Amino acid sequence: MARKSGQISILQVDANTINRLRVRPSSAGVEVTAYDQERGSWTDESALADALKVFARTHRLAEDELYSVLPRHTMTARILALPSNDLDEIRGMVRLGAEEFVPYPAHELVIDQCVLQKLPEGISNVLAVFAHRDVVDGHVHLMKAAGLEPHRIFISTACIASAARDAWKGGSEPYAIVNLASGGIEVLIMKDGFLAYGRGVSTTQNWDTLEDNDSEAGEELAIEVKASLSAYRRESEDGQSVEKVFICSEGANTEVAAAVLAEQTGLECAPTLFAASLVHGTIASPATLPLVSLGAALAAQQRESVAIDLVPQSLLNARAEASNRRTLIGSGLLLGCIVVALLVLYGIGTHQRNAYITQLDAEIALVADKATEVRDMQSKLTRLKEQVDRSGTALELMADVVKLMPPKNMAITKFSFARNVEITIELRVNDPAEAERFTNSLRESNELFKDASMGKIGTIQERGRTLNQLEINIPLPAPASEEEGGGQ
């Protein structure tokens, strides 16, 4: 894609000339940076396309914002007085009345219009342009063949009127502007700063021959100008005549043309040098001041007073489709970038996690032997603690039992201790009730003795006395891990 220059190119192309006015966007006037022209005789469409392609490459048109202008004599334009100020209503009126002005149905036309002046009682003076679709499509096709696409397509009438309205400082009297175009002639009447009349005629004259005193070219110029001025006088409400005529052209010498026309008609004729006030920069020759291109440059910067755009609907649709494709592609690329970024982040996270796991495994491998030693040492310390732990031993438990015995009438004959299993106490007592009270005392005195209970009871003779012999059984809780047995 070509790098954009930020400048604007106005292009006019026909079978005999290729013109390009290059301007830099500016808030005032038209800042001209180049004016290029190539002449030839390209009667064949392919030859013209090749010439335009070479011209575009030579002058690097693809780098600029491109606009083009179609000549008035290739289409029909009318100034209409319509009973509305509403743009939508005006648009509908123009389209409905198209077949009154051209012998083609509306669907074969590219139509555009703009309001020139709003009059009293809701009436508008409107410039309506009717271009056959083949003319506009052929122009677009020629541009595409050269690798170009215009942003907008102007008509010379609107460009001349915009430039004249912006530059003219000569008062409100009507004056004519005659454009000597390649392949045609166009006459406009400006009055009170507004476009009042326009006429375009095709011709085979080469206006350069006016410099060689070509009488035929001079006569045709005078005839067409007189016919246009007469038509305006007939159509105008006040029948006012036009005495001042200005000549413009993209290539012909307007000073010579003005002298010839003045001699033929007796009118006051001069080049459109008043439009030089629009120009910031230089034009090769003031005698060939390109008024059409200057007006188009104003329009390209949206500073025109007469706005006509003949871009066909097919090109607008193609642009919309291209814009939608770019939007979809951009959205797809953005979504793809997001997915790739997420995958990259996931990959980085996975890689970091795996690397950390590997690092931990390596550190574990380094301390594995020491960890085993520590676990063995902990096991030994646990066993040692159990061995040296004096709490819950047989002696301590026996001491607790003895403390609870009454001071007399009771004797322990046997104390059996099975660690973590059971304590069995054999007693000799005078009164079994004493043994019952002793059992209750055991249950209340120690958590280990809470399940103490009376066992078997019998009698025994000792030293001529009959004593009661009985057992007290105290089950002990099992340990949380392994059980160990104890002795008496």
Side-chain angles (χ1 to χ4, degrees):
M1 181 180 293
R3 181 178 61 85
K4 292 301 180 182
S5 66
Q7 298 200 48
I8 295 169
S9 277
I10 307 299
L11 190 64
Q12 296 182 72
V13 183
D14 59 47
N16 299 305
T17 60
I18 302 175
N19 294 315
R20 190 280 294 265
L21 178 71
R22 194 183 201 205
V23 302
R24 182 178 290 109
S26 172
S27 59
V30 179
E31 188 174 342
V32 176
T33 59
Y35 182 63
D36 305 296
Q37 185 177 88
E38 183 171 341
R39 300 206 180 185
S41 181
W42 306 293
T43 54
D44 181 72
E45 184 176 339
S46 62
L48 178 58
D50 292 339
L52 179 58
K53 187 180 299 184
V54 172
F55 185 90
R57 185 168 57 250
T58 302
H59 299 287
R60 303 167 73 172
L61 295 185
E63 297 180 7
D64 294 350
E65 188 174 299
L66 185 66
Y67 298 83
S68 63
V69 184
L70 288 175
R72 164 69 175 80
H73 60 264
T74 61
M75 62 194 70
T76 299
R78 292 288 185 271
I79 297 175
L80 309 174
L82 299 178
S84 177
N85 292 150
D86 183 85
L87 294 179
D88 289 333
E89 288 183 359
I90 290 172
R91 186 178 297 109
M93 292 177 188
V94 170
R95 179 162 290 276
L96 287 173
E99 295 183 23
E100 297 180 16
F101 308 107
V102 290
Y104 308 110
H107 69 271
E108 294 184 11
L109 300 172
V110 177
I111 303 172
D112 198 19
Q113 60 284 309
C114 73
V115 175
L116 299 173
Q117 186 179 14
K118 291 183 179 180
L119 302 175
E121 300 179 0
I123 296 175
S124 297
N125 277 344
V126 176
L127 173 64
V129 179
F130 310 92
H132 196 277
R133 192 172 299 280
D134 289 347
V135 173
V136 180
D137 288 346
H139 177 72
V140 172
H141 178 74
L142 176 65
M143 292 288 181
K144 286 187 176 180
L148 305 172
E149 182 180 308
H151 282 64
R152 293 169 65 189
I153 301 174
F154 305 129
I155 178 176
S156 60
T157 303
C159 296
I160 294 171
S162 291
R165 179 177 171 82
D166 218 37
W168 177 252
K169 303 293 188 268
S172 60
E173 293 297 317
Y175 63 94
I177 298 178
V178 178
N179 179 35
L180 302 180
S182 175
I185 183 172
E186 180 175 10
V187 181
L188 276 66
I189 308 296
M190 301 293 294
K191 182 180 179 181
D192 296 324
F194 296 99
L195 176 63
Y197 175 83
R199 178 171 176 260
V201 180
S202 298
T203 179
T204 58
Q205 289 292 345
N206 178 1
W207 303 114
D208 289 337
T209 61
L210 291 172
E211 294 187 78
D212 301 326
N213 296 318
D214 184 347
S215 59
E216 182 180 348
E219 289 175 3
E220 182 171 354
L221 172 60
I223 290 170
E224 296 300 342
V225 170
K226 288 178 180 179
S228 299
L229 298 182
S230 297
Y232 167 71
R233 188 166 53 249
R234 289 193 305 270
E235 294 178 11
S236 65
E237 294 181 357
D238 54 13
Q240 188 175 9
S241 62
V242 176
E243 302 298 333
K244 291 182 179 180
V245 178
F246 295 94
I247 311 294
C248 68
S249 177
E250 303 290 311
N253 189 317
T254 55
E255 290 179 344
V256 172
V260 171
L261 184 60
E263 182 181 352
Q264 293 278 350
T265 62
L267 298 171
E268 181 183 345
C269 302
T272 53
L273 298 183
F274 66 86
S277 62
L278 296 175
V279 178
H280 295 178
T282 58
I283 298 295
S285 170
T288 56
L289 192 69
L291 195 63
V292 173
S293 296
L294 292 176
L298 291 174
Q301 299 174 81
Q302 297 183 347
R303 288 160 44 203
E304 74 274 42
S305 56
V306 182
I308 295 291
D309 187 0
L310 297 177
V311 172
Q313 189 62 43
S314 59
L315 184 55
L316 294 176
N317 293 339
R319 287 177 182 172
E321 291 177 3
S323 177
N324 292 336
R325 283 196 300 271
R326 286 194 297 270
T327 301
L328 290 174
I329 291 172
S331 300
L333 289 175
L334 178 60
L335 181 60
C337 290
I338 292 173
V339 171
V340 170
L342 291 175
L343 291 175
V344 169
L345 290 175
Y346 177 77
I348 291 174
T350 301
H351 173 74
Q352 291 177 339
R353 185 169 59 253
N354 291 336
Y356 186 58
I357 291 172
T358 302
Q359 180 183 352
L360 291 177
D361 289 341
E363 293 178 358
I364 290 171
L366 289 175
V367 301
D369 294 339
K370 293 183 180 180
T372 301
E373 293 176 3
V374 170
R375 284 195 295 271
D376 291 342
M377 184 66 70
Q378 287 178 335
S379 178
K380 291 176 182 179
L381 289 174
T382 301
R383 289 195 296 270
L384 179 61
K385 181 179 179 182
E386 291 174 353
Q387 292 174 4
V388 300
D389 189 3
R390 301 298 299 170
S391 63
T393 61
L395 293 176
E396 289 182 337
L397 295 175
M398 182 180 288
D400 292 339
V401 170
V402 171
K403 288 178 182 178
L404 297 174
M405 289 178 62
K408 59 182 181 177
N409 299 325
M410 183 181 291
I412 296 177
T413 59
K414 184 179 179 181
F415 186 89
S416 178
F417 173 74
R419 185 177 178 85
N420 298 324
V421 178
E422 186 181 37
I423 296 175
T424 302
I425 303 173
E426 290 186 1
L427 299 174
R428 288 181 183 177
V429 63
N430 292 332
D431 185 358
E434 287 288 338
E436 182 68 31
R437 287 193 291 273
F438 177 59
T439 302
N440 290 335
S441 298
L442 289 174
R443 282 196 292 266
E444 295 173 355
S445 66
N446 194 318
E447 182 67 20
L448 292 174
F449 299 159
K450 65 179 182 178
D451 294 325
S453 62
M454 299 282 290
K456 59 184 179 180
I457 301 175
T459 59
I460 188 173
Q461 295 293 320
E462 183 179 85
R463 297 179 183 179
R465 291 185 304 166
T466 300
L467 300 174
N468 295 291
Q469 183 169 305
L470 53 87
E471 288 184 354
I472 297 176
N473 299 315
I474 305 174
L476 298 176
S481 56
E482 59 182 11
E483 295 183 0
E484 293 183 9
Q488 295 183 7

